[in-house]
Amino acid sequence: MMLDPAVLSSAFPYKRVLHYWAKASLFANPAVKYILTSAGNIPVDRKAADKRLLFRGTFRTLAAGEAVALFPEGTSYTEPHIMQVKDGAAWAALEYTKWARENPDQVQKGAQDVLIIPAAIVYTNKSKYRSQVIMEFGQPIRMNEYIEQFMSEQEGAPRAAVKRLTAAIERELTQATINAPDWDTLYAARMARDLLWPEERSINLDDFVTISQTLVDLFSTPDLVPNMNAIKRHLLTYYSLLESTHLTNAVLSSLPLPATLDPRQPVPLPSRLFTLSLLIRDSIALLIRLPFSIVPLVIHAPAYVMGRVGARLVEDEEETQAQNKVVFGLLLLLMIYPAAFFFVWAFLRYSPVGALVAVAFVFLFAMYHNRLIDDNYERAKRLVSAWRVLVGVWAPRRWDLSLSAVAQYTVPRIPPENPWVDRSKAKAKSRPVTPGPDGSSALSPAPPDESGSPSSSPARSAGKRRRPPTRRVMRHVLRARFEASKALASLLAQLERAPEAKRVCASVHLARAFGGQVEDAPEPNRQTDEGVETIADPVGWRSAREVVSFLRSRGAKIAALGDRVEGDWAALSSDGESYGYESEPFASDKPDLQWVPPTEH
């Protein structure tokens, strides 16, 4: 993704220039070659059989004491976990170390030893305009542990050293990113995170990855509580309905939906009008600002429109949506701002002072537009959502979609597989089973899907589906919100009441960081197609109570989940009966019903 190099280059420490790999074929055109070379890119001929010829440009750059940046996954893809880390980075580092030892006179002082610095880039929401990004550096990896084996004359030793180094790189990247075994687990964890932190940007960015991975680990243990599947299903239903209606839990949580808006309640007219007057007041306040924002919005409208068009071209690729928004928007801005400059300059008769005034005007105009968007974008979104919700809950109930019609919007969409990812070499994700009374545990692979890859998600179509009318689906959304909140509250309450010995599946690095336990994997080491032995991953565990305490200490609104959800009056059925967990707060304690096939006698 094009955003990653921009983020990495702008935030790299000490303002060092980063040199990126680029395909050698791109340097064939003189104009493109000049641009790429000026930007510090290094040509890499992937067809070269000789590794030293392949990395010749990399050697020159490293020998001069410069930094080389590359993306070891090889391609951009939308998956719930790291699918592949290729050997290119390991080969380049070890080949350079060997070459530097053999040619010390060609290496600048201090550049003999190369360090690999893993850098992970995590976006809080890749498809959202002006969302946040987190970049974290892992532990530096030195070549001392691998170079002796790499330089060994023993057959297969160099490749084995490369595989070991690649595994170390992947381990560091995994620790700094969010990885789930399947899409359903990732979506459930995202929904739980949004319910526990309902306000926008309420999570400290230093804790964002750790919190997200903790929730992923929580939902990666299928038999953690008796009714775990039902709890997960409620979270996925709410997540899917929000995605289908382009709403967010943060917006719904911020809306005033008191019971005085319930059209079925005998509420005095002044009370109902007072609540409505708040929405009307906010609408008028936003409209008053419209004359001050209409000019910058109209001028920037082509950039916004093209950004949306670019995102729609790749709706199924979350990784590429943000890239297209930025690229399409910037291309339009590169035409809009120069046009505005020449327009103002022409108005000032092309004078030297006029040029300075035009530059200052365009700069201040862009700053004013950004400030305007920062102040009003979220407010406008909440206001529009408030009216959508109000229309939906006041619409006649006969307009509501039937349960069978709304079912297509209650299952999250699964992005299509990236054809450039080599799934034959991707690690199969296994799910730990919660330890029994004797403390024993084993790894159980996730059931394979139709393509043969492990996944807990049923096969679902990734095709485009129409957005449902808000007025016909809003009660379903509010009902799903009510049920998801109570389901999550039930899960966390059960974990808090669990005995001390109750443990939760955890990533190994989190288990070590929070006083958990790490066990060796019961499965034996395996031989790859190249004949290199791979070490099975260990299994981590954390105390269930410690996980809940950790979430609460990071600001999770656990207690609020058990409170009455504002707007639950709109989540009632047509005959006035409540849904979900209102009558039984901890209905999730009951185990799932299982179908048992009849036996012949």
Side-chain angles (χ1 to χ4, degrees):
M1 189 168 71
M2 293 177 61
L3 289 182
D4 291 345
V7 171
L8 183 59
S9 296
S10 62
F12 198 73
Y14 307 113
K15 304 296 182 181
R16 293 186 67 184
V17 176
L18 296 178
H19 301 265
Y20 293 91
W21 282 1
K23 290 192 298 184
S25 57
L26 297 176
F27 290 77
N29 185 292
V32 176
K33 178 181 179 180
Y34 176 78
I35 295 173
L36 292 175
T37 305
S38 301
N41 291 284
I42 302 171
V44 176
D45 185 6
R46 291 181 292 184
K47 297 180 180 179
D50 186 356
K51 290 289 192 297
R52 294 200 173 184
L53 181 62
L54 173 66
F55 301 128
R56 182 171 53 189
T58 304
F59 289 0
R60 285 200 300 264
T61 304
L62 291 175
E66 300 291 336
V68 175
L70 56 96
F71 296 90
E73 293 174 85
T75 185
S76 176
Y77 54 83
T78 300
E79 292 289 343
H81 56 263
I82 292 178
M83 290 291 295
Q84 62 182 17
V85 174
K86 295 191 173 183
D87 300 333
W91 275 113
L94 291 171
E95 286 284 3
Y96 170 77
T97 303
K98 181 180 178 180
W99 175 83
R101 290 189 177 186
E102 296 173 351
N103 304 274
D105 55 318
Q106 301 183 35
V107 180
Q108 181 178 310
K109 185 178 180 180
Q112 297 86 352
D113 298 322
V114 66
L115 284 178
I116 294 180
I117 312 295
I121 300 174
V122 177
Y123 298 87
T124 56
N125 188 342
K126 295 175 186 174
S127 57
K128 181 184 175 183
Y129 174 68
R130 298 190 73 147
S131 60
Q132 297 172 297
V133 60
I134 304 161
M135 189 169 73
E136 185 173 343
F137 295 99
Q139 292 295 322
I141 302 175
R142 298 182 179 275
M143 300 300 105
N144 301 343
E145 186 180 343
Y146 311 95
I147 189 61
E148 297 303 328
Q149 183 181 18
F150 183 78
M151 298 181 67
S152 172
E153 299 294 335
Q154 184 179 354
E155 183 180 359
R159 181 173 293 274
V162 167
K163 292 295 180 182
R164 287 175 53 226
L165 180 54
T166 301
I169 296 172
E170 181 175 2
R171 187 162 53 248
E172 289 291 332
L173 293 177
T174 301
Q175 292 180 10
T177 53
I178 304 167
N179 295 272
D182 52 68
W183 283 111
D184 280 353
T185 301
L186 181 62
Y187 290 155
R190 284 182 183 176
M191 194 69 260
R193 184 185 64 206
D194 291 346
L195 288 168
L196 291 170
W197 286 268
E199 298 178 6
E200 290 277 1
R201 303 194 175 190
S202 57
I203 300 180
N204 188 328
L205 289 184
D206 292 336
D207 299 323
F208 183 85
V209 174
T210 304
I211 288 171
S212 301
Q213 190 60 54
T214 296
L215 291 171
V216 166
D217 294 340
L218 190 66
F219 289 100
S220 295
T221 313
D223 54 349
L224 181 60
V225 293
N227 206 23
M228 188 67 175
N229 290 337
I231 295 172
K232 202 170 176 180
R233 186 170 61 250
H234 285 305
L235 292 171
L236 290 173
T237 298
Y238 184 36
Y239 179 88
S240 181
L241 285 171
L242 289 178
E243 291 291 307
S244 300
T245 55
H246 294 183
L247 292 169
T248 65
N249 182 69
V251 169
L252 290 181
S253 300
S254 65
L255 298 182
L257 293 174
T260 54
L261 289 178
D262 188 353
R264 295 176 292 109
Q265 297 296 328
V267 178
L269 185 60
S271 298
R272 184 164 293 167
L273 289 178
F274 175 75
T275 305
L276 278 175
S277 68
L278 297 179
L279 285 176
I280 296 173
R281 181 200 64 187
D282 292 341
S283 301
I284 294 175
L286 195 65
L287 290 175
I288 290 175
R289 301 186 182 193
L290 190 59
F292 300 98
S293 58
I294 189 69
V295 173
L297 287 179
V298 168
I299 291 178
H300 288 83
Y304 286 116
V305 172
M306 289 304 298
R308 184 175 290 271
V309 170
R312 287 184 176 178
L313 293 175
V314 286
E315 276 189 318
D316 294 326
E317 300 177 25
E318 191 179 36
E319 297 282 340
T320 316
Q321 282 188 36
Q323 169 185 298
N324 282 13
K325 283 183 179 180
V326 171
V327 172
F328 281 56
L330 281 178
L331 288 176
L332 265 296
L333 290 179
L334 289 176
M335 293 186 285
I336 291 173
Y337 286 156
F341 166 78
F342 282 108
F343 177 81
V344 175
W345 194 22
F347 182 77
L348 298 174
R349 300 180 181 277
Y350 295 106
S351 63
V353 176
L356 295 177
V357 172
V359 169
F361 174 81
V362 171
F363 175 77
L364 292 176
F365 183 77
M367 295 292 292
Y368 173 69
H369 166 261
N370 291 341
R371 182 68 179 269
L372 188 74
I373 292 298
D374 289 338
D375 290 344
N376 297 306
Y377 178 69
E378 292 296 334
R379 184 180 301 177
K381 237 171 59 167
R382 283 184 171 85
L383 194 60
V384 171
S385 298
W387 284 109
R388 288 175 63 192
V389 171
L390 196 60
V391 170
V393 299
W394 276 14
R397 289 188 176 273
R398 65 177 180 274
W399 288 5
D400 287 355
L401 290 178
S402 64
L403 292 178
S404 58
V406 82
Q408 61 178 314
Y409 303 112
T410 61
V411 180
R413 296 172 61 197
I414 300 299
E417 294 183 351
N418 189 318
W420 301 105
V421 175
D422 187 357
R423 296 179 182 272
S424 64
K425 296 183 179 180
K427 283 188 176 181
K429 296 291 178 180
S430 299
R431 292 180 163 193
V433 175
T434 306
D438 58 351
S440 61
S441 62
L443 284 176
S444 61
D449 59 15
E450 293 179 357
S451 63
S453 59
S455 173
S456 67
S457 306
R460 285 172 283 197
S461 172
K464 185 176 180 180
R465 58 189 179 193
R466 294 178 57 187
R467 176 177 169 181
T470 304
R471 66 182 183 279
R472 304 192 64 187
V473 79
M474 187 52 65
R475 289 192 183 90
H476 293 286
V477 175
L478 295 176
R479 184 180 304 134
R481 175 190 172 205
F482 171 77
E483 293 178 342
S485 297
K486 298 307 175 185
L488 184 58
S490 170
L491 170 62
L492 297 176
Q494 291 180 71
L495 295 181
E496 275 196 308
R497 299 196 311 265
E500 287 287 350
K502 185 72 172 179
R503 296 191 293 175
V504 174
C505 167
S507 300
V508 173
H509 65 285
L510 294 183
R512 289 173 176 150
F514 294 98
Q517 298 178 339
V518 178
E519 302 172 355
D520 293 333
E523 59 184 36
N525 298 345
R526 301 179 300 275
Q527 294 284 335
T528 64
D529 295 338
E530 295 89 350
V532 180
E533 186 179 46
T534 60
I535 302 175
D537 294 330
V539 181
W541 302 99
R542 291 170 67 180
S543 166
R545 291 185 181 181
E546 181 272 319
V547 168
V548 179
S549 176
F550 164 79
L551 296 175
R552 182 176 279 111
S553 68
R554 296 307 189 272
K557 303 294 178 58
I558 296 178
L561 292 175
D563 298 339
R564 184 180 181 87
V565 179
E566 189 174 20
D568 60 354
W569 53 267
L572 302 180
S573 64
S574 57
D575 54 3
E577 295 180 355
S578 62
Y579 279 76
Y581 298 88
E582 188 171 66
S583 58
E584 288 186 84
F586 299 109
S588 295
D589 292 352
K590 299 180 179 180
D592 287 333
L593 295 178
Q594 296 187 3
W595 178 78
V596 179
T599 56
E600 296 182 1
H601 296 284

